[in-house]
Amino acid sequence: MSGFAGKVALVTGAASGIGEACARALAAAGAQVVLTDLMLDGALRVARDIGASAEAFAADVSAEDQCDAMVAFAVERFGRLDIAVNNAGVGNKDRSHVADLATASWRHVLGVNLDGVFFSMRAEIRAMIASGGDKSDGRSIVNIASVMGSVAVECGSAYVTAKHGVVGLTKAAALDHAADGIRVNAVGPGYVDTAMFADRTPEQRAEVGARHPLGRIARPDEIAAMVTFLASPAASFATGGYYPVDGGYLAR
Ligand SMILES: NC(=O)c1ccc[n+]([C@@H]2O[C@H](COP(=O)([O-])OP(=O)(O)OC[C@H]3O[C@@H](n4cnc5c(N)ncnc54)[C@H](O)[C@@H]3O)[C@@H](O)[C@H]2O)c1
């Protein structure tokens, strides 16, 4: 993938899983990358492994001041911001039906998975606009939603709601900032082999894999490939879209 020379990218939740794969893919394509995460140790580990073109920063995306600070850090270190991947998220640990769902569970999942994307994106768009320059310069934001941004699953109401919200917010931001030359898209992974999936038994993994027509769950790099494409100049006419990368999950 080309077109990333001189570009600065920020990836949230970059210490592991899909975020780590996105940061590595963007750096391999030539971007300078800021990896942010709640877990600074993990982000630092990945950034050191990538090398001089990567920096790490601790930020909880559910806190707006920390989102402002992570974007300010990226601009301070690398001088501008061109690309952002809003990936940080939490799974749906409380598997209660709606009638039994605790308010704290609801607020936690919405706080990270939806507020977090809004706080991150608002700071990123402000920085992209403030960077000035040519609007055709390839500014791109990719939000990580889920197939749960399009359909529901039992006992997952907070996660399903947050991911549907991410898809709506993506469309709204794409309209609001098309004239600023900022493209905004969402990617909808099927189930992916990351820490979020690690608590499943081998039987559960096989059962979930079988829900995908391709017969397995995804690797993080398979999601990062779509993210990198959407972030690149090759996707110059793509904005406001929702792109499933789901092994056929939504086709059924
Ligand atoms: N794994 C899947 O099956 C799957 C499927 C569809 C979508 N997703 C989405 O992909 C994204 C990445 O998940 P993953 O599977 O790579 O999981 P993961 O647990 O490997 O990675 C998530 C990262 O986000 C970080 N994080 C959590 N809360 C945070 C916060 N408040 N602020 C900043 N960072 C925080 C974690 O420390 C972790 O490094 C999430 O948005 C998730 O909803 C995952």
Side-chain angles (χ1 to χ4, degrees), residues 12-19 36-39 59-62 86-91 108 112-113 144-147 159 163 188-197:
T12 70
S16 68
I18 296 168
T36 79
D37 203 287
L38 202 52
M39 304 297 175
D60 177 348
V61 295
S62 67
N86 296 312
N87 159 82
V90 290
H108 177 58
V112 178
N113 292 6
I144 304 301
S146 162
V147 288
Y159 190 85
K163 293 302 187 181
Y191 288 81
V192 187
D193 197 3
T194 68
M196 201 172 275
F197 202 73

Side-chain angles (χ1 to χ4, degrees), residues 58-85:
D60 177 348
V61 295
S62 67
E64 57 186 310
D65 58 332
Q66 295 188 34
C67 292
D68 292 344
M70 77 183 176
V71 171
F73 174 84
V75 172
E76 192 247 317
R77 279 305 154 98
F78 291 125
R80 54 188 290 120
L81 184 67
D82 306 286
I83 294 162
V85 181

Side-chain angles (χ1 to χ4, degrees), residues 104-237:
S105 303
W106 170 264
R107 290 210 197 291
H108 177 58
V109 174
L110 270 289
V112 178
N113 292 6
L114 184 55
D115 290 359
V117 174
F118 168 63
F119 294 150
S120 300
M121 204 162 43
R122 184 176 59 186
E124 291 153 4
I125 290 169
R126 286 174 178 167
M128 287 176 181
I129 292 171
S131 310
D134 184 353
K135 284 180 189 163
S136 64
D137 221 13
R139 300 153 169 173
S140 174
I141 295 176
V142 184
N143 297 322
I144 304 301
S146 162
V147 288
M148 301 310 156
S150 178
V151 294
V153 65
E154 294 82 356
C155 307
S157 55
Y159 190 85
V160 165
T161 303
K163 293 302 187 181
H164 275 67
V166 169
V167 173
L169 177 57
T170 297
K171 293 176 184 173
L175 297 186
D176 285 354
H177 295 289
D180 297 310
I182 301 172
R183 295 184 298 102
V184 189
N185 292 287
V187 168
Y191 288 81
V192 187
D193 197 3
T194 68
M196 201 172 275
F197 202 73
D199 60 345
R200 311 290 175 110
T201 64
E203 294 73 27
Q204 287 171 328
R205 293 171 75 89
E207 184 275 314
V208 172
R211 291 185 213 167
H212 303 71
L214 288 183
R216 63 174 176 86
I217 62 172
R219 300 185 312 271
D221 64 282
E222 293 177 304
I223 311 306
M226 175 64 91
V227 171
T228 307
F229 168 71
L230 288 170
S232 79
S236 54
F237 204 57

